[in-house]
Amino acid sequence: MGVSKTDLFTTQQNELALVAKAFAHPARVAILEHLIKANQCINSDLVEELGLAQATISQHLKELKSVGLIKGTVEGTSMCYCINSEVWNGVKERLQGLLDSYSPESCC
């Protein structure tokens, strides 16, 4: 495998690609949907909701947290996760801008 040449791209392009990668697994999409619906979630709720092992859920949460889509706080012996609205809105704007930049008339 070759080394990715991320330095050829803008910071915004690299950040959007990382976020897109976080969306690239159905379990992470399901976690995000659950967090949006619940508006916050204790980690063990996700295990029950999704039927995945605790370790698997934790790994997916780590990926989502690493790109900033979610944030978490310690509550006793549990972690409470929620959508990071600042990052979420920024991603939403960037994706919307990319999607809106396409014009069907501009293609062959």
Side-chain angles (χ1 to χ4, degrees):
M1 276 270 153
V3 176
S4 178
K5 296 185 178 185
T6 57
D7 58 325
L8 298 176
F9 306 101
T10 68
T11 301
Q12 292 81 9
Q13 289 167 332
N14 282 302
E15 288 174 358
L16 190 56
L18 285 173
V19 170
K21 186 178 176 183
F23 276 103
H25 195 288
R28 291 193 284 268
V29 172
I31 289 169
L32 290 168
E33 289 175 339
H34 183 72
L35 291 174
I36 290 167
K37 183 177 71 175
N39 203 24
Q40 70 176 9
C41 184
I42 304 296
N43 197 351
S44 62
D45 291 348
L46 289 168
V47 173
E48 294 173 26
E49 179 75 19
L50 301 179
L52 297 172
Q54 176 69 49
T56 302
I57 295 287
S58 293
Q59 186 62 36
H60 288 303
L61 288 168
K62 179 181 174 184
E63 291 292 324
L64 293 169
K65 196 170 180 186
S66 73
V67 296
L69 287 172
I70 64 172
K71 56 186 176 179
T73 57
V74 177
E75 291 187 1
T77 59
S78 300
M79 286 290 292
C80 181
Y81 291 97
C82 63
I83 299 293
N84 183 341
S85 59
E86 184 178 324
V87 172
W88 186 268
N89 289 331
V91 168
K92 183 177 163 184
E93 287 174 17
R94 279 192 228 139
L95 278 173
Q96 193 64 55
L98 175 63
L99 295 171
D100 288 346
S101 68
Y102 171 72
S103 174
E105 307 84 46
S106 67
C107 193
C108 51

